[in-house]
Amino acid sequence: ENPLLLGDETKEGDTLGLTSAQVALRLEEYGPNEVPIEKVSMCQVFFRQYYGTMPAMLIVACILAAIIQDWEDFGIIFAMLAINGCIGFYEESKALASLEALKNELRQYVSVLRDGKVSSIDIAELVPGDIVAIRGGQAVPADGIWLDGDIVKVDTAALTGEPIARTIPKNDHDQGKKLLAGCILVQGECRMLIQATGKQTQVGQATEMVANAKKGPKPIGRFETQILR
């Protein structure tokens, strides 16, 4: 049991957290607090670099160059396809590895206040409205706002690329108290109110946007642009 939650519960007296019935309803409505990540093999990642109208046109052009024995054009187009495919494969596999690492990082247990009691649960069971306690070294389990406790420092590099940890809260406004899933608490401990979980979090929405973008045709790469000129 987290002493931070127990201390505040005793001090405030009327803070009971969500009831079991409320949790069940919200879990059914919002689903588990998990970031959906499409499972794909490395072969799929590589071959879908050549999916789309433009890669198909270049492959046809490469075949035609070979048929008419124009080996110079064949070599240029083939090299371009190979290099562009390898670059796309590297970038996409790196992005997938980062998402998988983020998902594993989020896999933890957290102290939550429910039915007036503190318990430790898997973060996949969190729902909007939960009050949880986090401390230095833990990943923020879902999107929410700082409630009380220490002024904390949060490493947001995984989401924003910022090299310097943010200080939260910055001000009395909710935006200055925002804590985002996947960020790391590097100093202090606090309570937070969960506002969004799973696919509704910023990292969840970003993951879904990436997945949807990959379903469409592959955009024209810089090598393809050069050869078309």
Side-chain angles (χ1 to χ4, degrees):
E1 293 180 327
N2 193 299
L4 175 64
L5 278 175
L6 287 175
D8 285 345
E9 181 188 356
T10 304
K11 178 179 65 178
E12 295 178 4
D14 57 350
T15 302
L16 301 177
L18 297 176
T19 65
S20 298
Q22 288 175 316
V23 170
L25 288 173
R26 296 186 188 195
L27 193 57
E28 184 177 350
E29 179 180 356
Y30 298 104
N33 180 36
E34 295 178 331
V35 177
I37 297 178
E38 180 188 4
K39 294 290 183 181
V40 292
S41 68
M42 288 297 101
C43 286
Q44 287 177 294
V45 173
F46 180 78
F47 284 114
R48 70 183 178 190
Q49 303 308 313
Y50 300 100
Y51 168 74
T53 304
M54 190 54 60
M57 290 174 62
L58 290 172
I59 291 170
V60 171
C62 190
I63 293 171
L64 290 174
I67 291 173
I68 64 174
Q69 297 185 353
D70 185 346
W71 302 118
E72 183 179 352
D73 283 353
F74 171 82
I76 293 172
I77 298 172
F78 182 83
M80 184 204 66
L81 282 168
I83 293 171
N84 205 39
C86 289
I87 291 175
F89 172 78
Y90 170 76
E91 291 176 344
E92 188 171 339
S93 58
K94 187 178 178 181
L96 288 171
S98 297
L99 286 173
E100 188 64 36
L102 180 59
K103 185 177 180 181
N104 292 334
E105 195 173 79
L106 287 173
R107 205 72 181 169
Q108 62 183 27
Y109 287 84
V110 67
S111 294
V112 62
L113 183 61
R114 289 177 177 174
D115 294 313
K117 299 177 182 179
V118 179
S119 58
S120 181
I121 65 168
D122 189 317
I123 65 164
E125 300 172 24
L126 288 175
V127 297
D130 268 329
I131 297 174
V132 303
I134 52 175
R135 59 180 61 191
Q138 284 185 303
V140 178
D143 289 358
I145 58 170
W146 180 95
L147 282 181
D148 50 36
D150 300 334
I151 295 176
V152 297
K153 288 192 177 295
V154 182
D155 181 0
T156 64
L159 296 182
T160 65
E162 294 180 32
I164 301 174
R166 291 183 181 181
T167 299
I168 296 176
K170 290 182 179 179
N171 49 53
D172 291 332
H173 302 294
D174 283 354
Q175 197 60 34
K177 300 178 180 180
K178 201 75 175 175
L179 291 163
L180 300 178
C183 297
I184 306 296
L185 206 69
V186 295
Q187 181 180 315
E189 58 180 26
C190 68
R191 293 198 314 173
M192 67 176 291
L193 173 66
I194 303 299
Q195 294 181 314
T197 58
K199 292 187 291 185
Q200 289 77 43
T201 62
Q202 287 197 23
V203 68
Q205 291 173 2
T207 303
E208 193 169 16
M209 286 174 63
V210 170
N212 290 335
K214 288 175 183 174
K215 293 176 182 177
K218 186 177 181 291
I220 300 174
R222 52 179 174 268
F223 288 104
E224 292 160 339
T225 303
Q226 290 299 321
I227 201 70
L228 289 172
R229 289 177 180 174

